[in-house]
Amino acid sequence: MAAGTVEKVPAVSRLVDEKVVVLDFGSQYAQLIARRVREQNVFCEIVRHDITADRLREINPKGIILSGGPSSVYEKGAPKCDAGLFQLGIPVLGICYGMQLACESLGGKVESAPAREYGRAQIRVTNAASELFAGVPGEIEVWMSHGDQVARVAGDFQPLAATGTCPIAAVRHSTLPFYGLQFHPEVTHTPLGKQILGNFLKRICGCRGTWKIEDFAKETIERLREKIGDKRVICGLSGGVDSSVVAALLSRAIGEQLSCILVDNGLLRKNEEAAVVREFSGHFKTDLHVVKAEDRFLDRLAGITDPQEKRRRIGHMFIDCFGDEAAKIKDAVFLAQGTLYPDVIESGAAADGPAATIKLHHNVGGLPEDLQFQLVEPLRDLFKDEVRALGLELGLPEEIVWRHPFPGPGLAVRCLGEITRPRLEKLRDADAIVVGEIKAAGLYRETSQAFAVLLPVQSVGVMGDARTYEEAIAVRCVNTEDFMTADWSRLPFDLLARISTRIINEVKGVNRVVYDISSKPPATIEWE
């Protein structure tokens, strides 16, 4: 096998007896649709919007969902689906753009709406006998996001629901197993969306809900043993949940055949190296190699302030350090990575996945050609919440499983401006205070990501009747479901006051603390 070839060990799609596919038309909610389906114990994959009907017949899903999208179906070049999929006899649910596309393909007309709907709306269920709305009240709140709508449908369609400005807010075909929703059932702003999706999956598609993470764990371990045999596997550890779960899964599958490498690049959080060594040397009895590379990384970063150049240098140096250590493990054949399903989707690396590459992830495209390993990516079909559930199933401590995400380049993207040892120490100490206080307040699990940022600005302050001119710390804390969008966390004022007081009193060289109240978008979660 060629170097860098990805071995799907195993692919989840081979471990399930029923699944649903989502055709992605560019919706920001496509991943959310898949997650909502999996939450009902039905495995779901995202595929290209132009996948052929023949390929869908081969995949043989229990149901097909057409996602929303930013285009208008009547525009030149708007994404279309293979109209043959409606003739496969497989139930299809169109959401927003997906509904409009299907209705047009089956003889209807889509036009720009006289009154656009963005946000919450009330719909009236006009056909209570429909299985799609079984058990749903006659009037419900939903989330709309559309400027176009279905103006008319062919005679074979039956309207199911309406709003004051959208007479066809839901529809079904009388002879084909097609259903359409103009609103978004996958978002939390549609309170009964889960029930409506459940009706489609269970009542219409006939899904039994057999997708269980514990079954995945058992079957994946068996497949890993079968694939790896008596060969050695190298796994890169970062202290994050993804690499930790991969290591735990492999440790359970192949035991002493696993070797882990932790590269201490000098950009880790406070006491992070010691914590990783303690967990994986004690809990799993893993062959752990720690590469002390702080000097090498900081020398390469000296004087560099551009964020992208920081990332580039860190990425290259990591590969060098990891490769040097991996070369010392002479009998290694496989390299394990914590690639997740969103990474695969956004990198365009899935076989039937979306064609466009949104961004290049280090786990799915950043390895050099001369790394002579076969890649093992046992999490590449899982979402983050499923990885956490798998970690708990494998017996990982909750402290690891529920740890907030940490960027690949480490503190380099939170230390704005020049990176030096003294500035990194300030940032580590401030970050430890932020996270420690949030944990003490019992809010760590209630937030998605919390950290400190060291700003490259100085401001005037007064300490002990003396004028100071020192650096500032920004505290960033967000809540999110998918990290594609996020809102700032409304932490209690007294908690923010404790964080600020402790940082200013305990972190030498800092005299000001600010709280970041921007959402994503337009801001990003990280500052660089």
Side-chain angles (χ1 to χ4, degrees), residues 33 36-37 39-40 93 95 132-133 136-137 140-143 181 183-201:
I33 296 170
R36 291 289 181 256
V37 172
E39 285 172 3
Q40 305 213 26
L93 175 66
I95 297 175
L132 191 61
F133 289 100
V136 175
I140 62 172
E141 183 179 272
V142 300
W143 182 262
L181 300 172
F183 60 90
H184 289 271
E186 71 273 21
V187 302
T188 56
H189 306 302
T190 300
L192 293 179
K194 181 177 180 180
Q195 183 173 344
I196 295 169
L197 277 176
N199 286 339
F200 175 72
L201 297 171

PDB file of all heavy atoms in Angstrom, residues 33 36-37 39-40 93 95 132-133 136-137 140-143 181 183-201:
ATOM      1  N   ILE A  33     -28.436  18.140  10.213  1.00  0.00           N
ATOM      2  CA  ILE A  33     -29.464  17.162   9.837  1.00  0.00           C
ATOM      3  C   ILE A  33     -28.966  15.754  10.140  1.00  0.00           C
ATOM      4  O   ILE A  33     -29.670  14.935  10.753  1.00  0.00           O
ATOM      5  CB  ILE A  33     -29.824  17.285   8.345  1.00  0.00           C
ATOM      6  CG1 ILE A  33     -30.454  18.637   8.045  1.00  0.00           C
ATOM      7  CG2 ILE A  33     -30.794  16.163   7.944  1.00  0.00           C
ATOM      8  CD1 ILE A  33     -30.621  18.916   6.557  1.00  0.00           C
ATOM      9  N   ARG A  36     -28.951  15.047  13.825  1.00  0.00           N
ATOM     10  CA  ARG A  36     -30.298  14.862  14.374  1.00  0.00           C
ATOM     11  C   ARG A  36     -30.827  13.463  14.035  1.00  0.00           C
ATOM     12  O   ARG A  36     -31.522  12.843  14.849  1.00  0.00           O
ATOM     13  CB  ARG A  36     -31.244  15.921  13.811  1.00  0.00           C
ATOM     14  CG  ARG A  36     -30.960  17.315  14.309  1.00  0.00           C
ATOM     15  CD  ARG A  36     -31.328  17.466  15.771  1.00  0.00           C
ATOM     16  NE  ARG A  36     -31.073  18.813  16.240  1.00  0.00           N
ATOM     17  CZ  ARG A  36     -30.043  19.177  16.992  1.00  0.00           C
ATOM     18  NH1 ARG A  36     -29.164  18.271  17.390  1.00  0.00           N
ATOM     19  NH2 ARG A  36     -29.885  20.425  17.370  1.00  0.00           N
ATOM     20  N   VAL A  37     -30.495  12.973  12.850  1.00  0.00           N
ATOM     21  CA  VAL A  37     -30.919  11.620  12.485  1.00  0.00           C
ATOM     22  C   VAL A  37     -30.223  10.604  13.377  1.00  0.00           C
ATOM     23  O   VAL A  37     -30.843   9.678  13.907  1.00  0.00           O
ATOM     24  CB  VAL A  37     -30.632  11.342  10.999  1.00  0.00           C
ATOM     25  CG1 VAL A  37     -30.900   9.874  10.662  1.00  0.00           C
ATOM     26  CG2 VAL A  37     -31.480  12.244  10.105  1.00  0.00           C
ATOM     27  N   GLU A  39     -29.099  11.017  16.308  1.00  0.00           N
ATOM     28  CA  GLU A  39     -29.616  11.100  17.677  1.00  0.00           C
ATOM     29  C   GLU A  39     -30.814  10.186  17.881  1.00  0.00           C
ATOM     30  O   GLU A  39     -31.148   9.833  19.014  1.00  0.00           O
ATOM     31  CB  GLU A  39     -30.001  12.547  18.003  1.00  0.00           C
ATOM     32  CG  GLU A  39     -28.799  13.459  18.251  1.00  0.00           C
ATOM     33  CD  GLU A  39     -29.187  14.922  18.369  1.00  0.00           C
ATOM     34  OE1 GLU A  39     -30.403  15.225  18.306  1.00  0.00           O
ATOM     35  OE2 GLU A  39     -28.289  15.770  18.513  1.00  0.00           O
ATOM     36  N   GLN A  40     -31.466   9.802  16.792  1.00  0.00           N
ATOM     37  CA  GLN A  40     -32.597   8.880  16.878  1.00  0.00           C
ATOM     38  C   GLN A  40     -32.153   7.450  16.568  1.00  0.00           C
ATOM     39  O   GLN A  40     -32.968   6.604  16.195  1.00  0.00           O
ATOM     40  CB  GLN A  40     -33.705   9.344  15.940  1.00  0.00           C
ATOM     41  CG  GLN A  40     -34.119  10.787  16.216  1.00  0.00           C
ATOM     42  CD  GLN A  40     -35.587  11.055  15.968  1.00  0.00           C
ATOM     43  OE1 GLN A  40     -36.424  10.158  16.056  1.00  0.00           O
ATOM     44  NE2 GLN A  40     -35.911  12.289  15.679  1.00  0.00           N
ATOM     45  N   LEU A  93     -37.320  13.051   1.912  1.00  0.00           N
ATOM     46  CA  LEU A  93     -37.777  14.249   2.631  1.00  0.00           C
ATOM     47  C   LEU A  93     -36.977  15.428   2.119  1.00  0.00           C
ATOM     48  O   LEU A  93     -35.748  15.456   2.239  1.00  0.00           O
ATOM     49  CB  LEU A  93     -37.584  14.096   4.142  1.00  0.00           C
ATOM     50  CG  LEU A  93     -37.910  15.341   4.987  1.00  0.00           C
ATOM     51  CD1 LEU A  93     -39.402  15.673   4.915  1.00  0.00           C
ATOM     52  CD2 LEU A  93     -37.474  15.140   6.440  1.00  0.00           C
ATOM     53  N   ILE A  95     -36.067  19.394   2.506  1.00  0.00           N
ATOM     54  CA  ILE A  95     -36.100  20.470   3.497  1.00  0.00           C
ATOM     55  C   ILE A  95     -35.725  21.781   2.818  1.00  0.00           C
ATOM     56  O   ILE A  95     -34.649  21.885   2.221  1.00  0.00           O
ATOM     57  CB  ILE A  95     -35.138  20.174   4.662  1.00  0.00           C
ATOM     58  CG1 ILE A  95     -35.569  18.918   5.416  1.00  0.00           C
ATOM     59  CG2 ILE A  95     -35.052  21.362   5.611  1.00  0.00           C
ATOM     60  CD1 ILE A  95     -34.610  18.496   6.511  1.00  0.00           C
ATOM     61  N   LEU A 132     -46.323  12.231   8.625  1.00  0.00           N
ATOM     62  CA  LEU A 132     -45.217  13.143   8.932  1.00  0.00           C
ATOM     63  C   LEU A 132     -45.523  13.995  10.156  1.00  0.00           C
ATOM     64  O   LEU A 132     -44.621  14.356  10.908  1.00  0.00           O
ATOM     65  CB  LEU A 132     -44.936  14.035   7.716  1.00  0.00           C
ATOM     66  CG  LEU A 132     -43.653  14.865   7.756  1.00  0.00           C
ATOM     67  CD1 LEU A 132     -42.426  13.970   7.841  1.00  0.00           C
ATOM     68  CD2 LEU A 132     -43.560  15.765   6.521  1.00  0.00           C
ATOM     69  N   PHE A 133     -46.806  14.319  10.361  1.00  0.00           N
ATOM     70  CA  PHE A 133     -47.196  15.165  11.492  1.00  0.00           C
ATOM     71  C   PHE A 133     -47.952  14.379  12.552  1.00  0.00           C
ATOM     72  O   PHE A 133     -48.686  14.967  13.357  1.00  0.00           O
ATOM     73  CB  PHE A 133     -48.039  16.343  10.991  1.00  0.00           C
ATOM     74  CG  PHE A 133     -47.247  17.361  10.206  1.00  0.00           C
ATOM     75  CD1 PHE A 133     -47.280  17.354   8.821  1.00  0.00           C
ATOM     76  CD2 PHE A 133     -46.462  18.293  10.847  1.00  0.00           C
ATOM     77  CE1 PHE A 133     -46.548  18.281   8.093  1.00  0.00           C
ATOM     78  CE2 PHE A 133     -45.726  19.222  10.134  1.00  0.00           C
ATOM     79  CZ  PHE A 133     -45.765  19.216   8.748  1.00  0.00           C
ATOM     80  N   VAL A 136     -48.486  15.592  16.303  1.00  0.00           N
ATOM     81  CA  VAL A 136     -48.101  17.007  16.349  1.00  0.00           C
ATOM     82  C   VAL A 136     -49.362  17.859  16.454  1.00  0.00           C
ATOM     83  O   VAL A 136     -50.344  17.604  15.743  1.00  0.00           O
ATOM     84  CB  VAL A 136     -47.294  17.380  15.078  1.00  0.00           C
ATOM     85  CG1 VAL A 136     -46.992  18.874  15.051  1.00  0.00           C
ATOM     86  CG2 VAL A 136     -45.999  16.583  15.025  1.00  0.00           C
ATOM     87  N   PRO A 137     -49.368  18.887  17.311  1.00  0.00           N
ATOM     88  CA  PRO A 137     -50.556  19.753  17.428  1.00  0.00           C
ATOM     89  C   PRO A 137     -50.897  20.441  16.110  1.00  0.00           C
ATOM     90  O   PRO A 137     -50.072  20.497  15.188  1.00  0.00           O
ATOM     91  CB  PRO A 137     -50.137  20.782  18.491  1.00  0.00           C
ATOM     92  CG  PRO A 137     -49.037  20.132  19.242  1.00  0.00           C
ATOM     93  CD  PRO A 137     -48.319  19.257  18.265  1.00  0.00           C
ATOM     94  N   ILE A 140     -47.980  24.844  15.306  1.00  0.00           N
ATOM     95  CA  ILE A 140     -46.683  24.709  15.972  1.00  0.00           C
ATOM     96  C   ILE A 140     -45.739  25.828  15.529  1.00  0.00           C
ATOM     97  O   ILE A 140     -45.931  26.453  14.480  1.00  0.00           O
ATOM     98  CB  ILE A 140     -46.018  23.347  15.676  1.00  0.00           C
ATOM     99  CG1 ILE A 140     -45.734  23.181  14.176  1.00  0.00           C
ATOM    100  CG2 ILE A 140     -46.857  22.207  16.194  1.00  0.00           C
ATOM    101  CD1 ILE A 140     -44.907  21.956  13.843  1.00  0.00           C
ATOM    102  N   GLU A 141     -44.714  26.049  16.347  1.00  0.00           N
ATOM    103  CA  GLU A 141     -43.685  27.034  16.023  1.00  0.00           C
ATOM    104  C   GLU A 141     -42.568  26.347  15.255  1.00  0.00           C
ATOM    105  O   GLU A 141     -42.138  25.251  15.616  1.00  0.00           O
ATOM    106  CB  GLU A 141     -43.130  27.649  17.309  1.00  0.00           C
ATOM    107  CG  GLU A 141     -42.100  28.741  17.084  1.00  0.00           C
ATOM    108  CD  GLU A 141     -41.598  29.336  18.390  1.00  0.00           C
ATOM    109  OE1 GLU A 141     -42.229  30.294  18.888  1.00  0.00           O
ATOM    110  OE2 GLU A 141     -40.591  28.823  18.909  1.00  0.00           O
ATOM    111  N   VAL A 142     -42.086  26.989  14.189  1.00  0.00           N
ATOM    112  CA  VAL A 142     -41.010  26.432  13.379  1.00  0.00           C
ATOM    113  C   VAL A 142     -40.014  27.529  13.037  1.00  0.00           C
ATOM    114  O   VAL A 142     -40.263  28.716  13.269  1.00  0.00           O
ATOM    115  CB  VAL A 142     -41.548  25.807  12.063  1.00  0.00           C
ATOM    116  CG1 VAL A 142     -42.522  24.681  12.359  1.00  0.00           C
ATOM    117  CG2 VAL A 142     -42.200  26.865  11.176  1.00  0.00           C
ATOM    118  N   TRP A 143     -38.887  27.112  12.457  1.00  0.00           N
ATOM    119  CA  TRP A 143     -37.854  28.054  12.033  1.00  0.00           C
ATOM    120  C   TRP A 143     -37.816  28.095  10.509  1.00  0.00           C
ATOM    121  O   TRP A 143     -37.568  27.096   9.860  1.00  0.00           O
ATOM    122  CB  TRP A 143     -36.491  27.631  12.576  1.00  0.00           C
ATOM    123  CG  TRP A 143     -35.378  28.578  12.232  1.00  0.00           C
ATOM    124  CD1 TRP A 143     -34.486  28.449  11.216  1.00  0.00           C
ATOM    125  CD2 TRP A 143     -35.033  29.793  12.913  1.00  0.00           C
ATOM    126  NE1 TRP A 143     -33.599  29.502  11.218  1.00  0.00           N
ATOM    127  CE2 TRP A 143     -33.905  30.345  12.249  1.00  0.00           C
ATOM    128  CE3 TRP A 143     -35.554  30.456  14.016  1.00  0.00           C
ATOM    129  CZ2 TRP A 143     -33.304  31.540  12.662  1.00  0.00           C
ATOM    130  CZ3 TRP A 143     -34.957  31.640  14.433  1.00  0.00           C
ATOM    131  CH2 TRP A 143     -33.855  32.163  13.761  1.00  0.00           C
ATOM    132  N   LEU A 181     -40.737  19.873   3.487  1.00  0.00           N
ATOM    133  CA  LEU A 181     -40.924  20.851   4.551  1.00  0.00           C
ATOM    134  C   LEU A 181     -40.235  22.146   4.147  1.00  0.00           C
ATOM    135  O   LEU A 181     -39.041  22.141   3.829  1.00  0.00           O
ATOM    136  CB  LEU A 181     -40.323  20.349   5.869  1.00  0.00           C
ATOM    137  CG  LEU A 181     -40.887  19.052   6.452  1.00  0.00           C
ATOM    138  CD1 LEU A 181     -40.036  18.614   7.645  1.00  0.00           C
ATOM    139  CD2 LEU A 181     -42.336  19.239   6.871  1.00  0.00           C
ATOM    140  N   PHE A 183     -39.855  24.579   6.240  1.00  0.00           N
ATOM    141  CA  PHE A 183     -39.127  24.996   7.449  1.00  0.00           C
ATOM    142  C   PHE A 183     -38.022  24.001   7.777  1.00  0.00           C
ATOM    143  O   PHE A 183     -37.865  22.963   7.123  1.00  0.00           O
ATOM    144  CB  PHE A 183     -40.094  25.142   8.628  1.00  0.00           C
ATOM    145  CG  PHE A 183     -40.836  23.882   8.987  1.00  0.00           C
ATOM    146  CD1 PHE A 183     -40.321  22.973   9.906  1.00  0.00           C
ATOM    147  CD2 PHE A 183     -42.073  23.602   8.416  1.00  0.00           C
ATOM    148  CE1 PHE A 183     -41.000  21.818  10.248  1.00  0.00           C
ATOM    149  CE2 PHE A 183     -42.769  22.442   8.745  1.00  0.00           C
ATOM    150  CZ  PHE A 183     -42.223  21.551   9.657  1.00  0.00           C
ATOM    151  N   HIS A 184     -37.233  24.334   8.806  1.00  0.00           N
ATOM    152  CA  HIS A 184     -36.086  23.507   9.182  1.00  0.00           C
ATOM    153  C   HIS A 184     -36.393  22.731  10.471  1.00  0.00           C
ATOM    154  O   HIS A 184     -36.337  23.298  11.567  1.00  0.00           O
ATOM    155  CB  HIS A 184     -34.847  24.381   9.391  1.00  0.00           C
ATOM    156  CG  HIS A 184     -34.307  24.948   8.117  1.00  0.00           C
ATOM    157  ND1 HIS A 184     -33.382  24.286   7.351  1.00  0.00           N
ATOM    158  CD2 HIS A 184     -34.589  26.108   7.466  1.00  0.00           C
ATOM    159  CE1 HIS A 184     -33.091  25.015   6.282  1.00  0.00           C
ATOM    160  NE2 HIS A 184     -33.816  26.131   6.322  1.00  0.00           N
ATOM    161  N   PRO A 185     -36.674  21.431  10.373  1.00  0.00           N
ATOM    162  CA  PRO A 185     -36.964  20.645  11.575  1.00  0.00           C
ATOM    163  C   PRO A 185     -35.706  20.311  12.373  1.00  0.00           C
ATOM    164  O   PRO A 185     -35.798  19.910  13.531  1.00  0.00           O
ATOM    165  CB  PRO A 185     -37.599  19.373  11.007  1.00  0.00           C
ATOM    166  CG  PRO A 185     -36.937  19.203   9.673  1.00  0.00           C
ATOM    167  CD  PRO A 185     -36.750  20.604   9.153  1.00  0.00           C
ATOM    168  N   GLU A 186     -34.516  20.472  11.767  1.00  0.00           N
ATOM    169  CA  GLU A 186     -33.276  20.045  12.415  1.00  0.00           C
ATOM    170  C   GLU A 186     -32.749  21.034  13.451  1.00  0.00           C
ATOM    171  O   GLU A 186     -31.912  20.681  14.280  1.00  0.00           O
ATOM    172  CB  GLU A 186     -32.195  19.780  11.351  1.00  0.00           C
ATOM    173  CG  GLU A 186     -31.646  21.015  10.652  1.00  0.00           C
ATOM    174  CD  GLU A 186     -32.458  21.447   9.435  1.00  0.00           C
ATOM    175  OE1 GLU A 186     -33.639  21.053   9.347  1.00  0.00           O
ATOM    176  OE2 GLU A 186     -31.910  22.178   8.586  1.00  0.00           O
ATOM    177  N   VAL A 187     -33.222  22.300  13.417  1.00  0.00           N
ATOM    178  CA  VAL A 187     -32.695  23.304  14.339  1.00  0.00           C
ATOM    179  C   VAL A 187     -33.503  23.309  15.634  1.00  0.00           C
ATOM    180  O   VAL A 187     -34.688  22.950  15.652  1.00  0.00           O
ATOM    181  CB  VAL A 187     -32.693  24.714  13.704  1.00  0.00           C
ATOM    182  CG1 VAL A 187     -31.862  24.726  12.427  1.00  0.00           C
ATOM    183  CG2 VAL A 187     -34.107  25.196  13.405  1.00  0.00           C
ATOM    184  N   THR A 188     -32.871  23.737  16.694  1.00  0.00           N
ATOM    185  CA  THR A 188     -33.550  23.743  17.995  1.00  0.00           C
ATOM    186  C   THR A 188     -34.692  24.751  18.033  1.00  0.00           C
ATOM    187  O   THR A 188     -35.568  24.647  18.890  1.00  0.00           O
ATOM    188  CB  THR A 188     -32.551  24.065  19.117  1.00  0.00           C
ATOM    189  OG1 THR A 188     -31.908  25.317  18.840  1.00  0.00           O
ATOM    190  CG2 THR A 188     -31.499  22.987  19.244  1.00  0.00           C
ATOM    191  N   HIS A 189     -34.680  25.719  17.098  1.00  0.00           N
ATOM    192  CA  HIS A 189     -35.740  26.733  17.075  1.00  0.00           C
ATOM    193  C   HIS A 189     -37.070  26.169  16.566  1.00  0.00           C
ATOM    194  O   HIS A 189     -38.085  26.858  16.603  1.00  0.00           O
ATOM    195  CB  HIS A 189     -35.314  27.914  16.196  1.00  0.00           C
ATOM    196  CG  HIS A 189     -33.992  28.508  16.590  1.00  0.00           C
ATOM    197  ND1 HIS A 189     -33.751  29.005  17.843  1.00  0.00           N
ATOM    198  CD2 HIS A 189     -32.843  28.662  15.900  1.00  0.00           C
ATOM    199  CE1 HIS A 189     -32.514  29.456  17.902  1.00  0.00           C
ATOM    200  NE2 HIS A 189     -31.933  29.249  16.748  1.00  0.00           N
ATOM    201  N   THR A 190     -37.043  24.928  16.067  1.00  0.00           N
ATOM    202  CA  THR A 190     -38.291  24.217  15.760  1.00  0.00           C
ATOM    203  C   THR A 190     -38.481  23.187  16.871  1.00  0.00           C
ATOM    204  O   THR A 190     -37.949  22.072  16.795  1.00  0.00           O
ATOM    205  CB  THR A 190     -38.206  23.514  14.392  1.00  0.00           C
ATOM    206  OG1 THR A 190     -37.979  24.481  13.373  1.00  0.00           O
ATOM    207  CG2 THR A 190     -39.502  22.766  14.088  1.00  0.00           C
ATOM    208  N   PRO A 191     -39.203  23.542  17.940  1.00  0.00           N
ATOM    209  CA  PRO A 191     -39.254  22.687  19.135  1.00  0.00           C
ATOM    210  C   PRO A 191     -39.705  21.249  18.868  1.00  0.00           C
ATOM    211  O   PRO A 191     -39.225  20.321  19.514  1.00  0.00           O
ATOM    212  CB  PRO A 191     -40.243  23.425  20.052  1.00  0.00           C
ATOM    213  CG  PRO A 191     -40.163  24.855  19.612  1.00  0.00           C
ATOM    214  CD  PRO A 191     -39.943  24.807  18.132  1.00  0.00           C
ATOM    215  N   LEU A 192     -40.623  21.055  17.931  1.00  0.00           N
ATOM    216  CA  LEU A 192     -41.120  19.710  17.647  1.00  0.00           C
ATOM    217  C   LEU A 192     -40.459  19.105  16.405  1.00  0.00           C
ATOM    218  O   LEU A 192     -40.932  18.104  15.869  1.00  0.00           O
ATOM    219  CB  LEU A 192     -42.646  19.734  17.477  1.00  0.00           C
ATOM    220  CG  LEU A 192     -43.429  20.070  18.754  1.00  0.00           C
ATOM    221  CD1 LEU A 192     -44.927  20.106  18.480  1.00  0.00           C
ATOM    222  CD2 LEU A 192     -43.122  19.076  19.855  1.00  0.00           C
ATOM    223  N   GLY A 193     -39.343  19.695  15.983  1.00  0.00           N
ATOM    224  CA  GLY A 193     -38.647  19.185  14.807  1.00  0.00           C
ATOM    225  C   GLY A 193     -38.158  17.769  14.977  1.00  0.00           C
ATOM    226  O   GLY A 193     -38.186  16.961  14.035  1.00  0.00           O
ATOM    227  N   LYS A 194     -37.710  17.438  16.186  1.00  0.00           N
ATOM    228  CA  LYS A 194     -37.229  16.081  16.448  1.00  0.00           C
ATOM    229  C   LYS A 194     -38.341  15.061  16.244  1.00  0.00           C
ATOM    230  O   LYS A 194     -38.119  13.980  15.672  1.00  0.00           O
ATOM    231  CB  LYS A 194     -36.687  15.991  17.872  1.00  0.00           C
ATOM    232  CG  LYS A 194     -36.143  14.631  18.253  1.00  0.00           C
ATOM    233  CD  LYS A 194     -35.560  14.644  19.663  1.00  0.00           C
ATOM    234  CE  LYS A 194     -35.010  13.278  20.044  1.00  0.00           C
ATOM    235  NZ  LYS A 194     -34.438  13.273  21.418  1.00  0.00           N
ATOM    236  N   GLN A 195     -39.552  15.394  16.676  1.00  0.00           N
ATOM    237  CA  GLN A 195     -40.671  14.472  16.513  1.00  0.00           C
ATOM    238  C   GLN A 195     -41.029  14.316  15.037  1.00  0.00           C
ATOM    239  O   GLN A 195     -41.321  13.204  14.575  1.00  0.00           O
ATOM    240  CB  GLN A 195     -41.885  14.983  17.292  1.00  0.00           C
ATOM    241  CG  GLN A 195     -43.078  14.036  17.224  1.00  0.00           C
ATOM    242  CD  GLN A 195     -44.209  14.461  18.138  1.00  0.00           C
ATOM    243  OE1 GLN A 195     -44.016  15.291  19.040  1.00  0.00           O
ATOM    244  NE2 GLN A 195     -45.394  13.910  17.918  1.00  0.00           N
ATOM    245  N   ILE A 196     -40.983  15.420  14.286  1.00  0.00           N
ATOM    246  CA  ILE A 196     -41.315  15.351  12.855  1.00  0.00           C
ATOM    247  C   ILE A 196     -40.285  14.509  12.110  1.00  0.00           C
ATOM    248  O   ILE A 196     -40.630  13.654  11.291  1.00  0.00           O
ATOM    249  CB  ILE A 196     -41.408  16.776  12.271  1.00  0.00           C
ATOM    250  CG1 ILE A 196     -42.585  17.525  12.914  1.00  0.00           C
ATOM    251  CG2 ILE A 196     -41.561  16.733  10.753  1.00  0.00           C
ATOM    252  CD1 ILE A 196     -42.611  19.014  12.618  1.00  0.00           C
ATOM    253  N   LEU A 197     -38.983  14.731  12.415  1.00  0.00           N
ATOM    254  CA  LEU A 197     -37.952  13.896  11.808  1.00  0.00           C
ATOM    255  C   LEU A 197     -38.115  12.435  12.213  1.00  0.00           C
ATOM    256  O   LEU A 197     -37.925  11.522  11.404  1.00  0.00           O
ATOM    257  CB  LEU A 197     -36.563  14.388  12.217  1.00  0.00           C
ATOM    258  CG  LEU A 197     -35.965  15.550  11.414  1.00  0.00           C
ATOM    259  CD1 LEU A 197     -34.629  15.976  12.024  1.00  0.00           C
ATOM    260  CD2 LEU A 197     -35.775  15.176   9.949  1.00  0.00           C
ATOM    261  N   GLY A 198     -38.473  12.222  13.475  1.00  0.00           N
ATOM    262  CA  GLY A 198     -38.701  10.868  13.961  1.00  0.00           C
ATOM    263  C   GLY A 198     -39.830  10.188  13.223  1.00  0.00           C
ATOM    264  O   GLY A 198     -39.760   8.978  12.914  1.00  0.00           O
ATOM    265  N   ASN A 199     -40.890  10.936  12.922  1.00  0.00           N
ATOM    266  CA  ASN A 199     -42.002  10.374  12.155  1.00  0.00           C
ATOM    267  C   ASN A 199     -41.536   9.936  10.764  1.00  0.00           C
ATOM    268  O   ASN A 199     -41.925   8.872  10.261  1.00  0.00           O
ATOM    269  CB  ASN A 199     -43.128  11.399  12.017  1.00  0.00           C
ATOM    270  CG  ASN A 199     -43.905  11.585  13.308  1.00  0.00           C
ATOM    271  OD1 ASN A 199     -43.888  10.727  14.194  1.00  0.00           O
ATOM    272  ND2 ASN A 199     -44.589  12.709  13.430  1.00  0.00           N
ATOM    273  N   PHE A 200     -40.702  10.767  10.141  1.00  0.00           N
ATOM    274  CA  PHE A 200     -40.185  10.400   8.821  1.00  0.00           C
ATOM    275  C   PHE A 200     -39.330   9.137   8.905  1.00  0.00           C
ATOM    276  O   PHE A 200     -39.480   8.215   8.101  1.00  0.00           O
ATOM    277  CB  PHE A 200     -39.366  11.552   8.224  1.00  0.00           C
ATOM    278  CG  PHE A 200     -38.702  11.208   6.920  1.00  0.00           C
ATOM    279  CD1 PHE A 200     -39.453  11.062   5.752  1.00  0.00           C
ATOM    280  CD2 PHE A 200     -37.334  11.008   6.852  1.00  0.00           C
ATOM    281  CE1 PHE A 200     -38.845  10.724   4.541  1.00  0.00           C
ATOM    282  CE2 PHE A 200     -36.710  10.672   5.653  1.00  0.00           C
ATOM    283  CZ  PHE A 200     -37.470  10.528   4.494  1.00  0.00           C
ATOM    284  N   LEU A 201     -38.443   9.092   9.903  1.00  0.00           N
ATOM    285  CA  LEU A 201     -37.524   7.963  10.020  1.00  0.00           C
ATOM    286  C   LEU A 201     -38.236   6.671  10.397  1.00  0.00           C
ATOM    287  O   LEU A 201     -37.992   5.614   9.792  1.00  0.00           O
ATOM    288  CB  LEU A 201     -36.448   8.279  11.064  1.00  0.00           C
ATOM    289  CG  LEU A 201     -35.528   9.454  10.754  1.00  0.00           C
ATOM    290  CD1 LEU A 201     -34.668   9.781  11.968  1.00  0.00           C
ATOM    291  CD2 LEU A 201     -34.658   9.163   9.546  1.00  0.00           C
TER     292      LEU A 201
END
